[in-house]
Each structure stands twice: as C-alpha cells, then as structure tokens.
Amino acid sequence: MASLTQSALARPTHTFTGRGGFVDKYFYFTMSLLIAGIVVWGFHNTVNPNLFHASPPRPLLLWFHGAAFSCWVLFYIFQSTLVRTRNVKVHRFFGWFGAALAATMVVLGFVIAVVMARFDWFTLHEPGTDVFLSVPWGDMVEFAPCVALAILWRKKPELHRRLLFIGTCVLLDAAFGRNDYLFDHNLFYFCVDAVILLGVARDLLVNRSVNVVYRVALPALIVCQTVQIYLFRVAPAWWHTLTSRIVA
C-alpha cells in the first residue's frame, strides 16, 4: 500500500498551467481561434466598402491577396486542430501546402503593396502611400524567415510551433491597423507584440522559462517594427525618394 501511495505521489499531475494541463494542450489551438477573431474584428467594417463593393473597384490582385492571407489563417487553425487531435502525419502532409501558400503570400505581399500604393496615389489621390511601403514590406521581411525556419526545423516541434505562431501574429498589424485610433497612434504593432507575449506567458506558466525562439525573435521583431514606423511616419528623404520612384 505504501509503495502505491508513493507511486501516486511521484506521478506528475496535470494542472491547468503545468505540463499536460489545459494551457499546454490547447494554447496554440486557442491562439489560432484568437487570431481568426482579431482578423474578423479588424476587417469586418472595411472589407465591404474597400473590397466587395468598393468604388472605384480595387485591383483584381487585391482579391487574390485577401484570399491567400485569409486562407493562411484558416490553414493555421486547421493545422493546430490536427496537432491537437494527434493527427501528426496528416499535419505534416498538409505542411507542404502551407509552405507553398506562404511563398505565394510573400510574393503577393510585396507586389500588392506597390499595386495598392499606386492605386491610392493615382486613383484615390491619397498622399503618403509611397512611404507606407515600409509597413507591408517589413511584414513580409518578418513573416518569410519565421515560416522558412519553421519549415527547416519542422522536426523540432518546440521551435516549429513558436515560429509559425510568431509569423502568423506578424500579419495581424493589418487587422489592428484597421482601427483608426490604433493606426493614428502607431499602436498596431504594440497590439501584435501583445499577442506574441501570450506565447511568452505560456512558456513561463508551463515550462517556467522562455524559449529561445521568443528571446531571439521578439527583440529582432521590435527593432524591425521601430524601423518600419520610422520610415513611414518620419519618411527620411532617401526613403521618400526611393519609394516615390517605385510607386510613380
């Protein structure tokens, strides 16, 4: 009897925040739903007047861009669900579709940024669309290496899942930026980082330490975001000259 009692005491317990607990099991799946919710919240007031029933009509490429990025959010939920239901082989099989989709998104991200900057400048006559290129281009510069490293380290789940989480969060500035207050006060990147910090909180609760992915990626991301805001808001002469030539 005593040995059974000692064995039971030695067996790890699954708490809410410990290993095997709810946070450990369901964090990334929950985050995938949160990310989808943020996207819906951010775009629900703008997608109709700015795309579906836009006047003048937006470039056709914008539809492909929106479809690809929406597909990524759905794909992230799908892949998180497969992992949560222990369908790892299926998860890995569809991972190559995700790699192709991510590559397509990066190309679309760079191209549509220029297309829309030209559209806003020449058709809508909106100023500053050239220097705004630092935001979407910077997002792609951040998204691409996160996904590329996640693919490279696909057999290292502790690195893989965090890199994909960060890479997906990077795209949320477009949703947060649809809120006028967040955009006008340059707070959309703070919101992105706040979502990523939930991953840091998860590590502290479950592992009692912060994974190296966050310790490296988050500071680098903040530096990139600072540069993006500086180029957009301050618009130094060299950047303005470069982007105006690209757009014009």
Side-chain angles (χ1 to χ4, degrees):
M1 179 67 71
S3 61
L4 290 176
T5 303
Q6 291 173 354
S7 176
L9 291 174
R11 189 181 302 122
T13 57
H14 289 179
T15 64
F16 181 78
T17 59
R19 280 197 172 275
F22 180 86
V23 175
D24 187 22
K25 287 183 176 180
Y26 292 98
F27 174 79
Y28 293 102
F29 173 70
T30 303
M31 287 299 100
S32 70
L33 298 181
L34 175 63
I35 287 169
I38 292 171
V39 171
V40 172
W41 167 79
F43 285 93
H44 80 283
N45 284 328
T46 62
V47 68
N48 186 62
N50 292 339
L51 183 61
F52 294 151
H53 298 94
S55 180
R58 292 333 187 232
L60 179 61
L61 193 62
L62 185 62
W63 289 82
F64 291 101
H65 168 79
F69 280 68
S70 299
C71 187
W72 177 265
V73 174
L74 296 175
F75 177 73
Y76 186 67
I77 296 174
F78 175 65
Q79 288 290 77
S80 299
T81 302
L82 289 176
V83 172
R84 184 61 266 137
T85 55
R86 301 182 184 278
N87 291 298
V88 178
K89 289 185 178 180
V90 181
H91 172 87
R92 289 175 177 171
F93 173 80
F94 281 102
W96 293 112
F97 167 80
L101 176 60
T104 303
M105 290 166 59
V106 172
V107 174
L108 278 173
F110 279 107
V111 174
I112 196 63
V114 177
V115 170
M116 290 308 299
R118 289 175 175 170
F119 178 84
D120 293 341
W121 190 337
F122 293 109
T123 304
L124 301 183
H125 307 291
E126 294 181 355
T129 60
D130 53 341
V131 293
F132 181 72
L133 286 175
S134 65
V135 174
W137 280 2
D139 292 348
M140 293 301 96
V141 169
E142 296 153 7
F143 173 77
C146 285
V147 176
L149 288 173
I151 296 170
L152 178 65
W153 291 326
R154 60 190 179 277
K155 294 184 179 179
K156 298 180 179 180
E158 294 302 311
L159 304 179
H160 176 80
R161 66 185 64 173
R162 288 172 175 83
L163 285 164
L164 284 180
F165 172 62
I166 294 173
T168 305
C169 287
V170 163
L171 306 177
L172 291 178
D173 67 323
F176 285 120
R178 291 307 187 275
N179 180 282
D180 290 339
Y181 182 84
L182 297 179
F183 182 80
D184 294 340
H185 293 81
N186 301 322
L187 296 176
F188 47 95
Y189 282 135
F190 284 96
C191 295
V192 169
D193 296 342
V195 178
I196 296 174
L197 283 173
L198 293 176
V200 175
R202 179 262 175 210
D203 278 8
L204 290 174
L205 288 172
V206 175
N207 303 326
R208 303 297 187 265
S209 62
V210 180
N211 189 275
V212 64
V213 169
Y214 292 118
R215 287 188 275 118
V216 173
L218 195 53
L221 187 61
I222 292 172
V223 170
C224 289
Q225 292 167 345
T226 303
V227 172
Q228 288 172 266
I229 290 295
Y230 170 77
L231 293 177
F232 171 40
R233 297 300 189 184
V234 178
W238 67 268
W239 177 249
H240 180 73
T241 300
L242 174 64
T243 54
S244 62
R245 289 177 179 175
I246 292 172
V247 172

